[in-house]
Amino acid sequence: MTGARADIPAVIRASTEADRAALLALYPQDFPEEDLRPLVSALLDFKAGEGITSMVSTIQQTPVAHILFTQARSSGSDEDYALLGPLCVAPACQRRGIGRTLVTEGTALLAAQGCARVFVLGDPGYYRQFGFRREDSIVPPYPAPPAWAEAWQSLPLREDGAQAGGILSLPAPWHDPALWAP
């Protein structure tokens, strides 16, 4: 979206099938160097209640940002977890708190649903503002390069016991090793 005005508030809501084309058009704008559309499309194909939380931010009913959370488990625990990603914000709408609002509202929703922890493979400088910290106990499904050690992070949504270790288990769309490599 070009020329988005800062004085027009963004509305956060669950995404719908009617948003799909606009959401898929956002990703190349925010991530021109990588094609996340196949992953996003595969995750959006999951039906409601199948472990995907998809939230959109709109301005004047036009999608300007999107976030996905995928339900996950660990090989070492019976806890409910989630993986945050991807998250995108149209370049014209960045630095307005829209991404921050999507992350905070999404993690609050997951916490209310009983999710114990959210994981992300992302920029530590960005995700630290939400309380994400380097994660060493539960590892991603594919080994991350050593240079990305700080990028694998988690955010506890409740503090009621020790965290088990293990490998994060995710549905099929996440089983592409290229998603976990530079």
Side-chain angles (χ1 to χ4, degrees):
M1 171 176 213
T2 58
R5 292 179 28 202
D7 59 336
I8 300 173
V11 174
I12 308 293
R13 62 172 171 76
S15 71
T16 68
E17 183 58 32
D19 297 318
R20 182 187 284 259
L23 296 178
L24 292 175
L26 283 175
Y27 282 89
Q29 293 174 41
D30 198 10
F31 298 100
E33 70 287 348
E34 61 184 309
D35 188 5
L36 293 171
R37 291 173 301 173
L39 171 65
V40 172
S41 186
L43 292 171
L44 291 174
D45 284 342
F46 277 71
K47 292 177 180 52
E50 289 187 14
I52 303 295
T53 299
S54 176
M55 299 171 71
V56 63
S57 179
T58 63
I59 295 178
Q60 295 182 322
Q61 300 172 351
T62 300
V64 297
H66 183 238
I67 193 169
L68 284 161
F69 294 92
T70 304
Q71 185 176 349
R73 298 290 246 182
S74 164
S75 58
S77 172
D78 290 332
E79 294 282 5
D80 289 324
Y81 299 127
L83 177 69
L84 184 165
L87 162 65
C88 78
V89 179
C93 297
Q94 292 178 359
R95 305 208 186 297
R96 293 181 45 198
I98 294 171
R100 178 179 310 125
T101 301
L102 282 170
V103 172
T104 56
E105 288 195 20
T107 54
L109 176 66
L110 292 170
Q113 295 171 348
C115 182
R117 185 171 291 266
V118 176
F119 297 85
V120 68
L121 181 62
D123 178 6
Y126 181 74
Y127 288 101
R128 278 193 188 112
Q129 68 180 311
F130 307 106
F132 282 87
R133 297 291 179 257
R134 179 178 170 155
E135 175 61 49
D136 293 317
S137 298
I138 295 179
V139 297
Y142 295 92
W148 288 10
E150 296 295 320
W152 180 241
Q153 304 159 82
S154 72
L155 172 70
L157 298 182
R158 62 177 197 250
E159 298 293 336
D160 59 354
Q163 179 184 344
I167 299 170
L168 195 66
S169 176
L170 294 159
W174 287 105
H175 292 195
D176 179 356
L179 295 170
W180 303 92

